[in-house]
């Protein structure tokens, strides 16, 4: 049971470089989201999607782009990496955006921007 | 806007004792869900327990129970008979009509032998 798969697990970038964090789920979940976790800040929502072709901004969207062309995949793009984007990134999915549906998380991507 | 507050940055408990982790929330949505997640040192986020705003009874899952006091807007996690493996970060989260899952800043629990 793969669940939510994130790649890569670790990444080091130089300031100004771009990259895509991959997220895939095999549970046919409609709702997918990206969070970043910084020390003492909990998890903060970057972007989310309620279905293929539909995305919306979360609490901290600046510097990130997303798209949702399929139900399974929800990549997060860093357009021009900055040291402030050094963080641990989590992708999550759930069946639908109803209040009781549990979000399941990937293992995370640890990103360092130098 | 939704907000989750966890006022205990760190908690200590002796093995085999019970511990309560505090969580208060703020929302204007009539329907919402409250969640607790565990994050061990390995980093993954593990779902523990869910409580719906209209649920009549407090949720329980094995050694985990949720002390839900709607009027006080609190959803405290109770862990009974603590084990060394319970040492981790614990996050309270809420999902309301905005569809977004909002997290608190977490409580670091340390279980002492």
């Amino acid at each position: 049971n793969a669940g939510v798969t994130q790649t890569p697990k670790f990444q080091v970038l130089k300031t100004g470089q771009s990259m895509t964090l991959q997220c895939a789920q095999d549970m046919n979940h409609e709702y997918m989201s990206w969070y970043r976790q910084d020390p003492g800040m909990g998890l903060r929502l970057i972007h989310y999607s309620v279905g293929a072709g539909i995305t919306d901004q979360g609490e901290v969207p600046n510097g990130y782009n997303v798209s949702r062309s399929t139900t399974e995949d929800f990549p997060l793009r860093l357009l021009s990496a900055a040291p402030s984007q050094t963080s641990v990134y989590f992708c999550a999915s759930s069946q639908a955006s109803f209040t009781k549906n549990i979000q399941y998380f990937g293992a995370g991507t640890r990103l360092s921007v130098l | 806007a939704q907000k989750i507050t966890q006022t205990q940055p760190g908690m200590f408990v002796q093995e085999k004792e019970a511990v309560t982790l505090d969580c208060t929330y703020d929302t204007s949505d009539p329907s919402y869900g409250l969640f607790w997640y565990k994050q061990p040192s390995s980093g993954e986020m593990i779902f523990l327990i869910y409580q719906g705003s209209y649920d009549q009874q407090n949720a329980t899952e094995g050694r985990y129970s949720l002390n839900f006091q709607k009027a006080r807007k609190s959803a405290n996690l109770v862990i009974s008979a603590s084990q060394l493996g319970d040492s981790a970060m614990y996050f309270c989260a809420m999902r309301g009509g905005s569809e977004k899952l909002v997290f608190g800043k977490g409580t670091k629990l340390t279980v002492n032998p």
Side-chain angles (χ1 to χ4, degrees):
Chain A
N1 295 337
V4 180
T5 302
Q6 290 184 238
T7 56
K9 287 185 168 48
F10 302 94
Q11 184 70 48
V12 179
L13 291 178
K14 295 182 180 179
T15 297
Q17 287 184 319
S18 63
M19 81 159 294
T20 299
L21 306 185
Q22 301 291 344
C23 176
Q25 54 91 9
D26 62 359
M27 298 174 281
N28 201 31
H29 284 171
E30 297 173 358
Y31 186 92
M32 297 185 73
S33 53
W34 277 102
Y35 297 86
R36 60 177 289 172
Q37 183 179 22
D38 302 296
M41 297 296 292
L43 277 75
R44 293 182 292 169
L45 183 64
I46 304 171
H47 286 286
Y48 66 101
S49 169
V50 299
I54 306 169
T55 63
D56 205 347
Q57 296 181 349
E59 180 185 355
V60 288
N62 292 340
Y64 307 95
N65 272 359
V66 292
S67 60
R68 184 97 179 269
S69 56
T70 67
T71 300
E72 294 79 20
D73 300 300
F74 191 43
L76 178 71
R77 298 182 186 84
L78 281 70
L79 306 175
S80 177
S84 61
Q85 293 178 306
T86 294
S87 188
V88 180
Y89 292 84
F90 286 98
C91 179
S93 73
S94 66
Q95 282 188 330
S97 56
F98 299 129
T99 56
K100 70 175 181 180
N101 284 328
I102 300 161
Q103 285 204 24
Y104 296 95
F105 284 78
T109 295
R110 188 174 295 274
L111 176 68
S112 293
V113 183
L114 306 177
Chain B
Q2 297 170 141
K3 185 177 181 180
I4 293 284
T5 303
Q6 294 181 254
T7 57
Q8 307 155 315
M11 289 284 286
F12 294 87
V13 65
Q14 289 297 123
E15 193 178 7
K16 299 181 184 178
E17 291 185 350
V19 62
T20 297
L21 306 183
D22 294 341
C23 173
T24 59
Y25 61 92
D26 190 22
T27 182
S28 57
D29 294 326
S31 178
Y32 51 89
L34 294 155
F35 305 79
W36 278 91
Y37 285 84
K38 173 184 179 181
Q39 186 179 42
S41 58
S42 52
E44 70 268 32
M45 295 290 290
I46 302 168
F47 166 74
L48 294 178
I49 195 166
Y50 163 82
Q51 178 83 44
S53 58
Y54 291 117
D55 292 345
Q56 295 297 313
Q57 294 187 327
N58 288 343
T60 60
E61 290 286 346
R63 293 185 300 110
Y64 304 109
S65 60
L66 204 152
N67 184 2
F68 180 48
Q69 299 187 44
K70 194 171 183 177
R72 294 186 174 185
K73 293 190 174 180
S74 74
N76 298 338
L77 177 69
V78 181
I79 305 175
S80 63
S82 297
Q83 302 172 355
L84 296 178
D86 294 334
S87 292
M89 284 291 292
Y90 289 82
F91 292 97
C92 180
M94 177 174 64
R95 197 176 197 181
S98 69
E99 306 170 328
K100 304 171 188 176
L101 189 63
V102 176
F103 283 83
K105 294 185 178 181
T107 296
K108 183 177 182 179
L109 177 66
T110 302
V111 181
N112 294 317

